[in-house]
Amino acid sequence: MSSSYPKVLVCGGAGYIGSHVVKSLGERGADVLVYDNLSTGHRDMITHGELVVGELADTDLLRKTVINFRPDIVIHFAASIQVGESMQKPFNYYYNNVINTLGLLKVISEEGPGALIFSSTAAVYGNPDKIPAHEDTTLAPINPYGTSKLISETIMAELAALNKLDYIALRYFNVAGADPENRIGQKYKAATHLITRALKTAKGEFSTLKIFGTDYETPDGTCIRDYIHVTDLAEAHVLAMNNLLKSKKNAIYNVGYGRGSSVWEVINIAREVTGVDFSVEKAPRREGDPPKLIAGAEKIRKELDWIPKHDSLKFILETAWRWEKSLDVS
Ligand code: UDP
């Protein structure tokens, strides 16, 4: 298929964020190919393009896929993403996030396209010395998840300096919500993230929601995060991709709204949106959690003209709830 729009290989495109980006790209007529091992992704979340089922670690298949498809750019989502799990199983994070990213970088720097949009995370800041955390805030991860992404970013920066890669890394804050058209959303039974967990509790899949830590030095004692709607994040990828292809300018951007909400605030809005006064239980702090993470995200607004459309915790929860209700409990 020929298209004036770029050919995009999306690693991890069957997953939660990847599938929203595939949808945004596909709606603009991009020629998309998804590469995913379906470990947490789902075939039916892919709205556009073909799927190659493969491991990121399988660099022979990855190389063949790149040679056959000849993408103009790669967007890389395929990673492990849970802070708590990373404290329990650090090697999974080093292998899956660092080693596999390295394999992908080698393939694309040898075979082309040599251009990559990378999913990074606010976890690279650890417990930031300044809030909001801007891109130049000290990088000091406090969990293997953040470390794994920082190592990947460091390698990419070096490859870029050696003229072997053009890249943009997007440091996501807390991504939530679902496609406002309700075609796709998060489909992960063992979900551990707060919003999904709260809604699944409202739905009756869990008997109670544990609040990990109520004694933080925050106004209500619970952790504060910058929750961002997945569709706004998807749009940031499209802008980043277009900009990288046009200007070849390597960059790192925070993607968040610059607004913090506590765990209690999320619970209250979740109860309001669902109409269910679900049970919550105070629990010990979860290892590896920073008390407060809020994005300083002026740079992406200024340089990429990113204009978020869904900057509302209520809207995030409403779309996530509509999606959650449409899923089978089984
Ligand atoms: N959290 C919680 N109960 C849960 C899941 C998460 O209290 O069942 C808290 C977690 O400790 C953190 C915040 O909610 O303070 C956001 O956690 P999440 O796992 O959603 O994202 P993270 O910030 O770890 O990427």
Side-chain angles (χ1 to χ4, degrees), residues 10-313:
V10 184
C11 297
Y16 169 49
I17 301 171
S19 63
H20 283 81
V21 173
V22 167
K23 184 170 184 270
S24 293
L25 291 169
E27 284 170 350
R28 289 171 165 83
D31 191 356
V32 177
L33 180 67
V34 173
Y35 188 95
D36 199 300
N37 67 0
L38 300 181
S39 61
T40 55
H42 299 266
R43 198 180 286 273
D44 61 355
M45 291 296 102
I46 302 171
T47 54
H48 298 80
E50 300 290 313
L51 166 69
V52 174
V53 180
E55 296 293 331
L56 207 55
D58 184 352
T59 48
D60 289 340
L61 179 61
L62 195 57
R63 189 178 296 273
K64 237 172 59 192
T65 305
V66 166
I67 289 170
N68 288 339
F69 183 58
R70 291 261 151 250
D72 298 301
I73 191 160
V74 176
I75 308 185
H76 173 33
F77 297 99
S80 304
I81 58 158
Q82 292 171 23
V83 167
E85 183 190 58
S86 81
M87 299 293 281
Q88 313 300 328
K89 300 176 180 168
F91 285 99
N92 288 10
Y93 282 71
Y94 307 141
Y95 275 101
N96 202 22
N97 294 0
V98 181
I99 305 296
N100 289 349
T101 296
L102 192 58
L104 171 65
L105 288 169
K106 186 159 186 286
V107 167
I108 66 171
S109 73
E110 287 169 358
E111 309 293 348
L116 184 81
I117 305 296
F118 179 70
S119 303
S120 191
T121 170
V124 296
Y125 299 116
N127 198 352
D129 48 17
K130 277 181 286 171
I131 299 284
H134 285 92
E135 289 83 355
D136 59 359
T137 298
T138 309
L139 302 171
I142 56 170
N143 50 60
Y145 170 54
T147 302
S148 70
K149 290 289 183 173
L150 180 55
I151 295 171
S152 302
E153 274 195 21
T154 308
I155 292 169
M156 287 188 295
E158 186 155 273
L159 288 173
L162 295 168
N163 288 322
K164 292 189 184 304
L165 181 74
D166 299 324
Y167 81 104
I168 289 181
L170 298 177
R171 291 180 181 155
Y172 311 161
F173 282 66
N174 286 64
V175 189
D179 169 31
E181 294 169 1
N182 209 39
R183 165 68 182 81
I184 52 175
Q186 193 163 33
K187 209 174 167 188
Y188 189 39
K189 284 205 185 87
T192 62
H193 288 114
L194 176 64
I195 289 185
T196 313
R197 196 83 187 187
L199 297 179
K200 285 185 183 294
T201 308
K203 203 176 159 194
E205 284 184 45
F206 300 104
S207 56
T208 187
L209 175 76
K210 286 191 174 155
I211 305 177
F212 297 135
T214 50
D215 57 350
Y216 284 101
E217 282 185 24
T218 57
D220 66 16
T222 63
C223 287
I224 291 176
R225 294 289 183 274
D226 187 341
Y227 295 93
I228 165 179
H229 195 281
V230 65
T231 305
D232 281 336
L233 180 65
E235 191 60 28
H237 287 78
V238 176
L239 294 170
M241 182 190 84
N242 289 339
N243 202 62
L244 188 65
L245 288 171
K246 198 172 68 193
S247 72
K248 305 232 178 281
K249 187 171 168 279
N250 303 305
I252 294 173
Y253 296 106
N254 283 344
V255 200
Y257 293 144
R259 170 177 54 73
S261 307
S262 72
V263 173
W264 269 123
E265 284 172 305
V266 170
I267 290 168
N268 288 335
I269 298 182
R271 283 175 165 166
E272 183 193 328
V273 163
T274 60
V276 182
D277 193 16
F278 58 85
S279 144
V280 300
E281 182 184 303
K282 291 180 182 176
R285 293 182 178 193
R286 189 175 67 179
E287 268 193 307
D289 274 346
K292 197 168 177 186
L293 268 178
I294 299 174
E298 295 86 0
K299 188 179 170 193
I300 188 166
R301 291 175 187 254
K302 199 164 142 233
E303 293 187 9
L304 299 187
D305 286 328
W306 179 64
I307 302 168
K309 294 195 182 72
H310 305 305
D311 180 359
S312 146
L313 190 53

